[in-house]
Amino acid sequence: MMQPVKKITSKTVVLPVKDIDTDQIVPARFLTTTSREGLGDKAFYDLRYDDEGNERPGFPLNRPEAAGCSILVAGNNFGCGSSREHAPWALLDYGFEAVVSTEIADIFRNNCLKNGLVPVVVDGTTHEWLLDNPGAELLIDVDTTTMTLPGGREIRFTLDSFGRYCLIEGLDQLGYLRNHLARIESYEQERAWKP
Amino acid sequence: MSTPTTLFEKVWADHVVVPETADTPAVIYIDLHIVHEVTTPQAFSVLREHGLPVRRPDLTLPTLDHSTPTTPVSTFKDLLVAGEGAADQVRQMERNCEEFGLDLLGYGSGRRGIVHVIGPELGATQPGKTIVCGDSHTSTHGAFGALAFGIGTTEVGHVLATQCLLQRKPKTLAVNLDGSLPHGVGAKDVILAVIGRIGVDGGTGHIIEYRGDAIRALGMEQRMTICNMSIEGGARAGMIAPDDVTFEYLHGRERAPRGAGWEAALARWKTLRTDDDAAFDRTVGIDASSLTPMVTFGTHPGMVVGIDEPVPHSDDASFRKALDYMQVEPGKPMSASAVDVVFVGSCTNGRISDIEEAANVLRGRKLADGVRMLVVPGSEMVKAEAETRGLDKIIVAAGAEWREAGCSMCIGMNGDIAQPGQLSVSTSNRNFEGRQCPGARTVLASPATAAASAVAGYVADPRKYTSQERNLTP
């Protein structure tokens, strides 16, 4: 069940690479699981570890200052490619609560909103500043869709109104859909053709 | 007079159960839900937790494709070759289908195959339907004028339980392809060129409609190749208006309407086109006659060049990282690269015309020394048809491996993988880092280019291996 997410305060960890696809977020060979849990160990696996399973020291998540950071700032077009929901599951299980980019791919963004991982889309200037300043302490307020930068400057970010509502309420979207069952039944009976 | 609308808007309007508002998305009805073993176990668990049935088993089409081995399978013991996790997932899918009353097209059905191959070949994919699957290449089915897109596992649960999804209406992008394709240039080259033009995020938030003479001249399998890779341009769905080519393809298929039902469907399907004055949010035009065989050089499908063109230069850090990974030098064409592995198959290029395109190049030739080639049919029906046509014999005689149906080396979940550092010319859809094995370098190309590369031992121009008169089956 999705937990409500209202405010996130954390330092950032920065992956300054464009077009990070969901295969990199969680490689396909780890998709043989039948559960949602325990994928945090697999997040960015091939970027975090070398062939022998040792940590790659240069990778931002492996640096000591990344410990405990729950805001991930990534290059443009984060989460493109495969529809695997294992990608947000892995990021959440790893400890991330928000991902920030100038653009977040459609299916990945939808999957984030279903699980309580906040997809934050910011303007190019703010994004560039965030990429240049890893470890910046941010406050992300989902309710007001604002991000407070160090020094107190507030910027607005883009978030669909329903997505925002689901995050702050921890809304079960299946329950919401099932509230429309009577209308679904009428649609099925009244439509002009049947599939 | 009513406002002119696009094909997408017509299909969307026909499926609105509850309209969207500023604060809430639309509730959209789904006509066909295709399910496979990898992205559904957690969704079935949610149904179980809530004590819910699958609302419309008759609109749900389950199969096994992603984690299944492509070596011959006679018993479940053989599934262990893909690892215990994969075997568990397949068994779990069988149990879930039994528990929820779904008719699984699994082993022994003769109908098993890649989700986006079997939907069309069974005739379940039809114009005007809404089609979803927990797989981003669901965009394939848009080739029939269906609205088809990939969804996550939570949404799979929503569709299983309610047959509906919550969706915001996307924007529209027209991609016009006018002119005729030159000899040796096919659908895969077209879509790689489109992605190269719009970029891997160019279609984000949009539905693409592919239009123009060059699209009309293509058969259904070629149209599927194009729509399949819409997601690689960031668009969740790609559509092509249905026409006589579509209707002829569907006529007589197992799950297509019959008799009076066929006539009624045909009348409805013929209305599914964009009105002349309808507006798109964006339009891109490409001259089809200017295209050449295309190959990727980087680590996403938008990093693509013509086979003769040099790899471009850029100072962008992500670009340079991609070239380092690929061990490719700017200024040189990809034809300079030696090949280790060739893969023909996947939901992009695993249909009978794709297998035939590769076999036409392989006929009477041998693979270059040291090259391994896997040819993997997209479904059991494609496999049977290829064997009826004798294509398997041509493939095996050339020294390639002829395998069982599945997703195979496209995603590498089933044990079919390249080795670290190897260069793989692949007819699949993603050249992401590590997609075919950590460290493996993937070059995306058409079946003809892949087969030519297997014979040459380096990334090769298929036009040197195919005659002008080669057979182009739809």
Side-chain angles (χ1 to χ4, degrees), chain B residues 329-389:
Chain B
E329 282 180 52
K332 287 188 178 174
M334 285 306 289
S335 54
S337 306
V339 171
D340 301 298
V341 182
V342 172
F343 170 59
V344 171
S346 85
C347 58
T348 312
N349 283 124
R351 300 182 181 80
I352 189 65
S353 59
D354 302 312
I355 308 292
E356 188 162 57
E357 184 178 309
N360 284 344
V361 172
L362 295 178
R363 184 177 282 117
R365 296 190 172 103
K366 290 276 183 198
L367 303 194
D369 285 347
V371 172
R372 179 187 184 208
M373 181 178 187
L374 267 72
V375 182
V376 182
S379 71
E380 293 181 348
M381 283 170 74
V382 170
K383 181 167 188 274
E385 176 62 24
E387 289 173 359
T388 302
R389 296 190 194 183

Side-chain angles (χ1 to χ4, degrees), chain B residues 176-467:
Chain B
N176 293 318
L177 286 141
D178 289 313
S180 342
L181 289 173
H183 160 69
V185 180
K188 184 61 164 289
D189 305 307
V190 170
I191 189 60
L192 287 172
V194 169
I195 299 162
R197 169 74 76 84
I198 66 173
V200 282
D201 58 349
T204 302
H206 292 74
I207 301 289
I208 298 176
E209 183 181 335
Y210 301 95
R211 300 155 61 80
D213 310 340
I215 296 295
R216 291 285 143 230
L218 295 173
M220 283 317 296
E221 296 194 351
Q222 284 65 45
R223 294 180 189 185
M224 285 187 241
T225 299
I226 288 178
C227 289
N228 172 275
M229 288 188 71
S230 301
I231 185 65
E232 308 313 330
R236 285 181 79 181
M239 301 176 82
I240 294 173
D243 59 12
D244 288 343
V245 176
T246 321
F247 309 144
E248 196 179 313
Y249 176 96
L250 283 171
H251 190 73
R253 292 203 179 248
E254 224 170 278
R255 300 194 183 191
R258 292 176 183 281
W262 172 260
E263 294 305 325
L266 204 56
R268 183 165 50 79
W269 293 346
K270 286 180 175 171
T271 67
L272 294 170
R273 52 181 296 277
T274 292
D275 297 328
D276 290 342
D277 298 326
F280 290 88
D281 293 297
R282 278 173 61 208
T283 299
V284 172
I286 291 176
D287 173 11
S289 64
S290 71
L291 299 178
T292 58
M294 303 295 286
V295 287
T296 59
F297 61 85
T299 54
H300 66 57
M303 300 177 83
V304 64
V305 283
I307 186 88
D308 297 327
E309 288 175 61
V311 170
H313 291 266
S314 169
D315 289 332
D316 178 80
S318 299
F319 184 94
R320 286 207 312 267
K321 177 176 173 285
L323 260 55
D324 284 349
Y325 179 87
M326 290 299 293
Q327 301 168 33
V328 163
E329 282 180 52
K332 287 188 178 174
M334 285 306 289
S335 54
S337 306
V339 171
D340 301 298
V341 182
V342 172
F343 170 59
V344 171
S346 85
C347 58
T348 312
N349 283 124
R351 300 182 181 80
I352 189 65
S353 59
D354 302 312
I355 308 292
E356 188 162 57
E357 184 178 309
N360 284 344
V361 172
L362 295 178
R363 184 177 282 117
R365 296 190 172 103
K366 290 276 183 198
L367 303 194
D369 285 347
V371 172
R372 179 187 184 208
M373 181 178 187
L374 267 72
V375 182
V376 182
S379 71
E380 293 181 348
M381 283 170 74
V382 170
K383 181 167 188 274
E385 176 62 24
E387 289 173 359
T388 302
R389 296 190 194 183
L391 302 178
D392 57 320
K393 293 197 174 59
I394 296 168
I395 288 159
V396 170
E401 298 170 41
W402 175 243
R403 310 292 288 257
E404 296 293 320
C407 297
S408 184
M409 205 185 274
C410 172
I411 188 164
M413 283 190 70
N414 71 333
D416 296 347
I417 51 171
Q419 295 302 310
Q422 284 192 330
L423 188 105
S424 161
V425 179
S426 179
T427 67
S428 54
N429 39 57
R430 286 185 174 138
N431 51 338
F432 297 154
E433 265 185 46
R435 173 83 174 181
Q436 294 187 301
C437 173
R441 301 172 293 142
T442 303
V443 173
L444 301 179
S446 72
T449 303
S453 303
V455 169
Y458 53 87
V459 178
D461 188 335
R463 294 171 295 191
K464 295 172 185 161
Y465 295 82
T466 52
S467 67

Side-chain angles (χ1 to χ4, degrees), chain A residues 18 21 23 31-33 35 76 81-83 85 103 106 110-111 160-162 176 178 187-188 191 193, chain B residues 14 22 24-25 29 31 42 52 55-56 89 152-154 168 201 205 236 268 316 318 430 432 435:
Chain A
K18 288 180 195 165
D21 54 75
D23 273 88
L31 307 189
T32 53
T33 177
S35 135
N76 184 46
S82 155
S83 61
E85 198 161 321
E103 190 169 29
D106 288 339
N110 268 319
N111 287 338
D160 170 71
S161 53
F162 185 71
Y176 175 89
R178 294 189 73 241
Y187 173 87
E188 284 175 325
R191 67 186 293 183
W193 62 281
Chain B
D14 194 29
T24 53
Y29 199 81
D31 295 330
Q42 298 86 348
L52 294 170
R55 180 174 166 78
R56 293 293 300 265
Q89 213 165 40
T153 298
T154 299
R168 287 285 183 194
D201 58 349
R236 285 181 79 181
R268 183 165 50 79
D316 178 80
S318 299
R430 286 185 174 138
F432 297 154
R435 173 83 174 181

